């Protein structure tokens, strides 16, 4: 692995474990048994590392939210989208855990995130339109846009919700299974729009694959 990639991997690990604010470039260098000067050769400051990690996260999510060409969406597609997005959220959890601080600290990241949000919103709307075209949900355009926005709000705020309600700052108390509880909530948002043909199947999928956490 190239030195630049090792720095990014170490930073991501430390940011996820400890929170971005608690980790300095010196911590990252020490974690890699590397001199700070060597790290600064590749990244002049921590903000550059954060920005690069966000670009990686952005690319990951963009790849997850594409509607297939040449066929209708299926119920399995719907679950697959959610599982992949929450997996990406877990792998880059420091970003949404402290998004307000990160974007306010650097206008470049703030502008990039705004564009990312708008793109994700449109892609989520396209997914819901695909589900509507496949008669999995019945939804009007105005409700579709609102559902897409509410879905994004749940995805991006779920980690913070868990932290506040578990009354802990420590990541080790939050697991991937807990994070996937957010998928259950998105299913709940969609329930009023399910078509009769698919209602039982989707609700069974919700209960069987993503059970509601009993600590909520």
């Amino acid at each position: 692995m190239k030195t630049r990639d090792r720095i990014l991997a170490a930073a991501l690990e430390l940011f996820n474990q400890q929170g971005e604010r608690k980790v300095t470039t010196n911590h990252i260098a020490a974690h890699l048994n590397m001199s700070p000067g060597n790290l600064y050769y590749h990244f002049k400051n921590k903000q550059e590392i954060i920005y690069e990690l966000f670009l990686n996260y952005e690319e990951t999510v963009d790849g997850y939210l594409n509607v297939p060409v040449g066929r209708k969406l299926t119920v399995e597609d719907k679950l697959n989208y959610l599982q992949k997005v929450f997996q990406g959220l877990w792998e880059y959890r420091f970003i949404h855990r402290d998004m307000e601080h990160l974007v306010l600290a650097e206008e470049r990241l703030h502008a990039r995130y705004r564009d990312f949000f708008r793109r994700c919103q449109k892609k989520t709307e396209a997914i819901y339109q695909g589900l509507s075209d496949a008669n999995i949900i019945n939804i009007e355009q105005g409700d579709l846009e609102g559902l897409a926005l509410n879905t994004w709000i749940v995805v991006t705020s779920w980690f913070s919700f868990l932290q506040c309600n578990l009354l802990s700052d420590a990541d080790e108390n939050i697991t991937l299974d807990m994070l996937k509880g957010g998928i259950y909530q998105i299913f709940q948002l969609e329930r009023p729009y399910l078509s009769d043909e698919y209602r039982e199947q989707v609700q069974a999928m919700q209960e069987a694959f993503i059970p509601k956490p009993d600590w909520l």
Side-chain angles (χ1 to χ4, degrees), residues 84-172:
K84 285 185 174 180
V85 166
F86 273 83
Q87 182 65 40
L89 178 61
W90 175 255
E91 291 171 0
Y92 291 87
R93 55 195 177 275
F94 85 93
I95 291 176
H96 288 296
R97 179 178 53 199
D98 208 9
M99 176 55 70
E100 183 179 2
H101 164 71
L102 293 176
V103 299
L104 291 180
E106 185 184 11
E107 177 54 34
R108 179 179 61 157
L109 180 58
H110 196 180
R112 187 86 190 193
Y113 182 80
R114 286 195 299 265
D115 290 342
F116 173 64
F117 156 69
R118 294 187 186 105
R119 193 165 61 253
C120 287
Q121 174 75 4
K122 291 300 181 184
K123 286 191 170 190
T124 305
E125 289 175 11
I127 290 170
Y128 280 129
Q129 185 61 58
L131 292 172
S132 179
D133 293 343
N135 197 38
I136 296 170
I137 61 173
N138 297 313
I139 190 168
E140 297 180 357
Q141 186 62 34
D143 287 339
L144 186 151
E145 293 171 359
L147 180 60
L149 178 58
N150 289 341
T151 296
W152 179 256
I153 291 170
V154 171
V155 169
T156 57
S157 64
W158 192 250
F159 198 97
S160 295
F161 171 81
L162 293 179
Q163 281 194 307
C164 291
N165 285 277
L166 292 178
L167 302 178
S168 172
D169 326 283
D171 252 5
E172 59 264 26

Side-chain angles (χ1 to χ4, degrees), residues 156-199:
T156 57
S157 64
W158 192 250
F159 198 97
S160 295
F161 171 81
L162 293 179
Q163 281 194 307
C164 291
N165 285 277
L166 292 178
L167 302 178
S168 172
D169 326 283
D171 252 5
E172 59 264 26
N173 290 334
I174 297 174
T175 66
L176 178 57
D177 284 340
M178 289 179 180
L179 193 67
K180 284 187 175 181
I183 297 178
Y184 184 97
Q185 300 309 310
I186 292 171
F187 272 105
Q188 285 294 101
L189 291 175
E190 298 165 357
R191 273 197 179 202
Y193 306 104
L194 289 174
S195 65
D196 291 339
E197 180 181 356
Y198 288 95
R199 183 177 301 277

